[in-house]
Amino acid sequence: MSQDRSYSFEFFPTKTDAGHEKLLATARTLASYNPEFFSCTYGAGGSTRDRTINTVLQLEKEVHVPAAPHLSCVGDSKADLRSLLTQYQQAGIKRIVALRGDLPSGMGMASGELRYANDLVSFIREETGDHFHIEVAAYPEMHPQARNFEDDLKNFVRKANAGANSAITQYFFNADSYFHFVERVRKMGVDIPIVPGIMPITNYSKLARFSDACGAEIPRWVRKQLEAYGDDTASIQAFGEQVITEMCERLLHGGAPGLHFYTLNQAEPSLAVWNNLNLSAR
């Protein structure tokens, strides 16, 4: 099942030294499974820029797994972005996740010289040619700020046509939404790999808040079962593991080109699914 597929893991830069050490420990554990890359997020409006850079460089140099920093254009000038791209090139970074980015609370309308992710992809290509493998985001259940699904599909096509090499989706819990999205954009002429983003289920209340904010739908039957477990963490985790494993099996059997795990800086939930799927290291 794992032949010629891309498996990767995502981290977020932490605010404390203890959190950073935990992140590196998690990364070292996951590195033994030989993922294609580790990605590292970038806070709203570039608010974690320095921590993202430092984390990415450590993952690349110390953990020895290719690192893919998130890069967003909200709030950054072209000069800022050019400087970051140069720094990443000089550090040997070969992959970037190019995003519009989230607006920090109270920031209002987007600032910066580039407004959309397709503008950022074009800018990276203009500045660096083919140096970077560029990942972009895909939203099988529609970006929460999109006017409608058709507009969102067109936005994705623009990112692909601007020079993206592949895409990673927002997480979802309904495999049909992924297959429908891929089918639609294939008919629109997009042929880049679209890798499903996978969010392990470990804490229902946090997942529900985050999903409501980012537009990821938790199917009613999953939500009701998780609610029924109350504070029974072990049952929530066991049920969540089963739900995510079965979805991943369906995705891979249906032709998904890999899986991208949103780890939340923890190894065990993603590895539980990995082991259930009998995925072998590359």
Side-chain angles (χ1 to χ4, degrees):
M1 188 183 288
S2 61
Q3 294 298 313
D4 299 321
R5 287 190 161 115
S6 169
Y7 299 101
S8 51
F9 300 95
E10 181 167 296
F11 302 102
F12 63 87
T14 64
K15 297 180 180 179
T16 66
D17 292 342
H20 186 69
E21 288 306 312
K22 178 186 175 184
L23 184 161
L24 292 177
T26 297
R28 292 187 182 99
T29 297
L30 295 174
S32 65
Y33 292 81
N34 295 316
E36 185 159 336
F37 65 93
F38 289 149
S39 66
C40 185
T41 64
Y42 193 67
S47 58
T48 65
R49 179 186 295 118
D50 291 342
R51 294 198 300 276
T52 296
I53 293 171
N54 293 336
T55 300
V56 163
L57 297 184
Q58 277 194 282
L59 291 173
E60 185 89 15
K61 294 178 181 178
E62 298 179 22
V63 186
H64 306 297
V65 170
H70 284 207
L71 185 63
S72 65
C73 55
V74 166
D76 275 346
S77 66
K78 289 184 178 180
D80 292 333
L81 294 167
R82 189 176 293 116
S83 176
L84 277 170
L85 291 170
T86 299
Q87 188 170 356
Y88 286 139
Q89 279 185 292
Q90 292 173 346
I93 301 298
K94 297 287 189 178
R95 186 184 298 255
I96 279 180
V97 182
L99 308 166
R100 185 201 70 177
D102 296 324
L103 293 170
S105 178
M107 188 172 174
M109 294 300 291
S111 64
E113 296 179 66
L114 305 176
R115 290 194 63 189
Y116 301 110
N118 62 286
D119 298 326
L120 178 58
V121 173
S122 296
F123 179 77
I124 295 171
R125 285 286 174 243
E126 290 165 4
E127 294 292 322
T128 65
D130 292 329
H131 176 84
F132 291 108
H133 179 114
I134 301 178
E135 303 274 1
V136 292
Y139 297 88
E141 296 176 319
M142 194 178 84
H143 191 286
Q145 295 174 351
R147 288 186 298 179
N148 56 59
F149 192 58
E150 298 303 316
D151 276 1
D152 207 34
L153 290 170
K154 293 174 184 176
N155 289 339
F156 180 76
V157 171
R158 278 192 283 271
K159 291 189 286 190
N161 291 342
N165 299 100
S166 53
I168 301 168
T169 76
Q170 172 64 277
Y171 72 86
F172 53 87
F173 300 109
N174 182 349
D176 286 334
S177 66
Y178 169 81
F179 291 125
H180 177 70
F181 179 87
V182 172
E183 180 182 9
R184 289 294 307 277
V185 298
R186 294 287 182 253
K187 289 179 179 178
M188 297 171 77
V190 173
D191 60 0
I192 62 174
I194 301 171
V195 175
I198 306 300
M199 178 71 81
I201 298 173
T202 59
N203 181 301
Y204 171 61
S205 58
K206 289 182 180 178
L207 181 69
R209 287 196 302 271
F210 192 44
S211 298
D212 290 343
C214 69
E217 181 181 355
I218 303 175
R220 189 173 186 272
W221 70 275
V222 173
R223 189 183 287 263
K224 290 300 182 183
Q225 182 62 73
L226 291 171
E227 288 174 353
Y229 287 131
D231 296 328
D232 185 350
T233 302
S235 294
I236 289 172
Q237 293 178 351
F239 174 70
E241 181 182 322
Q242 177 187 355
V243 167
I244 298 302
T245 297
E246 291 175 355
M247 183 182 72
C248 289
E249 286 177 336
R250 188 170 171 220
L251 290 167
L252 293 173
H253 283 302
L259 301 170
H260 180 76
F261 291 91
Y262 296 111
T263 69
L264 301 181
N265 295 357
Q266 302 176 72
E268 292 78 10
S270 296
L271 289 182
V273 175
W274 178 288
N275 292 327
N276 289 341
L277 294 170
N278 294 315
L279 299 179
S280 59
R282 291 189 303 125

